[in-house]
């Protein structure tokens, strides 16, 4: 009876470890692989904006910056722009004008400041 319990637990451990190994080899879920592929492609292309450019974007979502500040997220030709100082009344899908301030280290996203609602 004890041998069967040990065998069952051993089989369970092998299944858990085996599924983890298969997932690591496959590279995670389809969404994770797609995200990695998009990130690699973004690293290879030049940003569609320059520092100082004034652009019009739609807010796609809001995120909390590591500083605790709420930032809007917009995209310009698929290029991600984090927008600071967005008024509290703005919501996703609102169209705003922004000024590009800087790029992240890999130039895969930019930081901008809110100018006005478009």
């Amino acid at each position: 009876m004890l041998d069967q319990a040990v065998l069952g637990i051993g089989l369970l451990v092998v299944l858990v470890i085996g599924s983890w190994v298969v997932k690591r080899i496959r590279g995670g879920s389809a969404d994770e692989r797609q995200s990695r592929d998009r990130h690699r492609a973004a690293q290879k292309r030049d940003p569609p904006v320059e520092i100082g450019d004034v652009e019009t974007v739609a807010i796609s979502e809001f995120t909390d910056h590591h500083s605790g500040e709420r930032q809007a997220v917009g995209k310009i030709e698929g290029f991600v722009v984090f927008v600071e100082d967005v008024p509290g009344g703005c919501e996703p899908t609102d169209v705003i004008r922004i000024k590009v301030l800087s790029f992240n280290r890999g130039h895969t996203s930019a930081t901008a400041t809110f100018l006005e609602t478009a």
Side-chain angles (χ1 to χ4, degrees):
M1 186 69 116
L2 185 59
D3 291 337
Q4 290 178 346
V6 170
L7 182 63
I9 291 172
L11 183 59
L12 181 63
V13 169
V14 167
L15 285 173
V16 169
I17 292 173
S19 66
W20 177 80
V21 167
V22 167
K23 185 176 179 181
R24 294 288 296 181
I25 290 170
R26 287 186 57 213
S29 71
D31 288 342
E32 290 169 337
R33 287 190 304 272
Q34 186 178 36
S35 177
R36 273 194 307 278
D37 291 345
R38 287 181 178 167
H39 182 72
R40 286 185 193 118
Q43 289 176 318
K44 294 177 184 174
R45 74 176 189 147
D46 291 330
V49 294
E50 297 289 332
I51 293 176
D53 285 357
V54 174
E55 299 284 339
T56 302
V57 298
I59 298 172
S60 57
E61 65 181 313
F62 285 93
T63 185
D64 291 324
H65 189 261
H66 60 82
S67 67
E69 191 177 314
R70 180 182 115 161
Q71 291 186 334
V73 179
K75 291 187 178 181
I76 301 170
E77 298 176 28
F79 184 76
V80 176
V81 180
F82 296 97
V83 185
E84 302 173 338
D85 303 324
V86 177
C90 288
E91 298 181 12
T93 71
D94 285 354
V95 179
I96 59 174
R97 291 184 46 81
I98 63 170
K99 182 176 183 179
V100 178
L101 301 175
S102 65
F103 295 109
N104 73 345
R105 190 176 331 165
H107 284 78
T108 56
S109 66
T111 301
T113 191
F114 172 86
L115 296 176
E116 63 187 1
T117 303

